[in-house]
Amino acid sequence: MTQAPATPRRAHRRHDREIIALALPAFGSLVAEPLFVMVDSAVIGHLGTPQLAGLGVAAPLLTTAVSVFVFLAYATTAAVARRVGAGDLAAAIRQGMDGIWLALLLGAAVIAAVLPTAPWLVEAFGASGTAAPYATTYLRISSLGIPAMLVVLAATGVLRGLQDTKTPLYVAIGGFSANVVLNIGLVYGAGLGIAGSAWGTVIAQCAMAAAYLTVVIRGARRNGASLRPDTAGIRACARAGTPLLIRTLSLRAVLMIATAVAARLGDAEIAAHQIVLTFWSLLAFALDAIAIAGQAIIGRYLGAGDREGAEAACRRMVQWGIASGLVLGVLVALARPLFIPLFTADPAVRGPLMTTLLVVALTQPVSGIVFILDGVLMGAGDGPYLAGAMVLTLALFTPVALAVPALGGGLAALWWAMALMMTVRMLTLWLRTRSGRWIVTGASR
């Protein structure tokens, strides 16, 4: 007796269960990451204004130094998921180990660059004479944890590729909890001040890296995968990650240009911009969780040679992206009067904030599509196209954003330029997925 083919509704339910199982833990681990900086801010804030100002300079530098290497997670997820789909777990873990070795090499290079240049970097970012010593201290100590942070990125990609997003969530919760205890104990108990906060974060990050490595090494031994560094494999990981690095740098450039333009609009506008950017980033975490599920699912389908399954999963995830964007947009639009007073009592800031958040709310469905398709193409290993599309987007966004002050526009106009940027991204990603050229099946692209 032959089995009846799956109905569209049954297929949707299967995809939905898979998306939820991967996306919910991924969202938890994504939200846990920025909480490290929040804990440091809360603890250091009670030491004094100069210390907090020092953190305000050092933390963005560290965040940038790590975030540009996020390709370690994205590229590894796609490569590992393909091999999982092909049924070769040993090769999947071997691919992940190459990414981890690359993370260690890059981390060592970043330490070698940051330690001697820390005072210059702090000065270049405009730290005051009273804040600069604290910023330099925090930056130098915290840079020692960068290799661990990059290992966490790569190992997270390994586990996501293995369709496991729960372990990263547990490790993130454990790391966050350890960071809280260590910060309080070293800053106040041991009296180390801002240096204690930096050391607490480094220790927590190293513990997270150790936990990940334990899981990956056990998997390697269980499946007979080698743990030794492979020069060819490391070079292959670097080649696969380079386009995603270009994409990430282009996106960071967009955010930096937007901030620079907002600063030219006035103090009230830049203050409101920072609040809006915080909310935009928080909304991005929710949408990025579905995109991470997309990376793992699409990579697995393509590795298994299932073209139709990959296309069906892509369509369903786009529907999820649109629905999530609509829900988030409605929540932001309705809740604006409630949460704006929590951030500022200045009417000069509240005015542009209220209008600009409405722009963000209206564009959330577009953002939902962008994040999902971005994740789909990453899962397919389509990095070169993503790099080219993001460079094109940056080229179109830059003159529009720079024209905002010249034309007398305010913060809302700047964020309409951001909306244009997201629309361009949506169109370039949609054209690519519609073409079908991203679909390359097999254990490697």
Side-chain angles (χ1 to χ4, degrees):
M1 185 175 180
T2 59
Q3 186 176 1
T7 63
R9 182 177 296 179
R10 189 179 303 167
H12 283 171
R13 284 200 299 266
R14 185 180 71 250
H15 288 310
D16 291 346
R17 286 194 299 269
E18 200 167 30
I19 293 168
I20 292 171
L22 291 172
L24 283 180
F27 175 70
S29 61
L30 285 171
V31 172
E33 292 172 9
L35 291 179
F36 272 81
V37 177
M38 290 181 64
V39 168
D40 290 0
S41 299
V43 173
I44 293 173
H46 289 86
L47 294 175
T49 300
Q51 289 90 334
L52 186 58
L55 176 67
V57 172
L61 286 169
L62 286 165
T63 301
T64 301
V66 174
S67 64
V68 295
F69 297 117
V70 73
F71 71 83
L72 289 166
Y74 293 158
T76 304
T77 297
V80 171
R82 274 185 177 271
R83 286 158 178 78
V84 169
D88 193 345
L89 285 178
I93 297 175
R94 173 66 261 177
Q95 181 76 37
M97 285 304 305
D98 292 335
I100 290 172
W101 281 112
L102 177 61
L104 287 170
L105 292 173
L106 291 173
V110 173
I111 289 179
V114 170
L115 284 179
T117 61
W120 178 84
L121 290 170
V122 166
E123 182 181 354
F125 270 69
S128 66
T130 55
Y134 296 110
T136 302
T137 297
Y138 188 90
L139 181 59
R140 278 182 164 159
I141 296 173
S142 294
S143 68
L144 300 177
I146 287 178
M149 296 169 73
L150 298 187
V151 166
V152 166
L153 284 177
T156 300
V158 175
L159 295 180
R160 289 173 181 170
L162 294 171
Q163 317 296 297
D164 176 9
T165 56
K166 291 183 179 179
T167 299
L169 173 60
Y170 300 148
V171 174
I173 293 173
F176 170 71
S177 302
N179 190 43
V180 173
V181 175
L182 287 167
N183 262 262
I184 294 174
L186 294 176
V187 171
Y188 300 119
L192 296 179
I194 194 170
S197 177
W199 280 119
T201 302
V202 168
I203 294 170
Q205 289 161 348
C206 289
M208 291 174 65
Y212 274 117
L213 289 175
T214 299
V215 174
V216 173
I217 289 171
R218 284 177 180 171
R221 288 175 174 169
R222 189 166 52 246
N223 292 280
S226 174
L227 298 173
R228 295 178 179 178
D230 177 65
T231 304
I234 294 172
R235 282 201 301 265
C237 285
R239 284 195 300 270
T242 298
L244 295 180
L245 174 62
I246 295 171
R247 167 204 168 273
T248 301
L249 290 173
S250 299
L251 181 56
R252 296 289 300 185
V254 165
L255 299 178
M256 289 175 65
I257 290 169
T259 299
V261 170
R264 294 175 61 187
L265 297 176
D267 290 347
E269 284 74 11
I270 185 61
H273 174 76
Q274 291 303 316
I275 297 172
V276 174
L277 194 59
T278 299
F279 274 97
W280 190 77
S281 300
L282 181 62
L283 296 170
F285 282 131
L287 298 173
D288 202 27
I290 306 174
I292 286 170
Q295 293 172 31
I297 293 169
I298 294 297
R300 193 191 71 235
Y301 273 120
L302 294 178
D306 189 350
R307 180 188 180 102
E308 292 183 358
E311 291 176 327
C314 175
R315 287 192 297 270
R316 189 57 177 169
M317 281 183 285
V318 169
Q319 293 170 359
W320 268 79
I322 295 172
S324 300
L326 286 170
V327 171
L328 292 173
V330 170
L331 288 174
V332 171
L334 295 179
R336 287 175 303 151
L338 300 177
F339 59 70
I340 286 178
L342 300 176
F343 288 88
T344 179
D346 188 347
V349 178
R350 285 188 177 186
L353 191 55
M354 180 71 76
T355 305
T356 306
L357 281 172
L358 182 59
V359 177
V360 172
L362 291 172
T363 56
Q364 282 308 293
V366 173
S367 296
I369 297 173
V370 168
F371 276 88
I372 298 307
L373 294 183
D374 209 36
V376 166
L377 295 184
M378 283 184 190
D382 204 10
Y385 182 85
L386 289 172
M390 196 62 229
V391 170
L392 172 64
T393 302
L394 172 62
L396 294 175
F397 167 78
T398 301
V400 175
L402 295 178
V404 169
L407 297 176
L411 188 64
L414 173 61
W415 275 86
W416 277 119
M418 290 284 286
L420 173 64
M421 179 271 295
M422 293 299 288
T423 302
V424 172
R425 290 186 69 191
M426 180 184 71
L427 291 175
T428 58
L429 297 174
W430 176 78
L431 288 172
R432 184 64 169 181
T433 52
R434 182 179 173 84
S435 73
R437 295 177 183 173
W438 59 280
I439 301 177
V440 178
T441 57
S444 59
R445 186 176 173 86

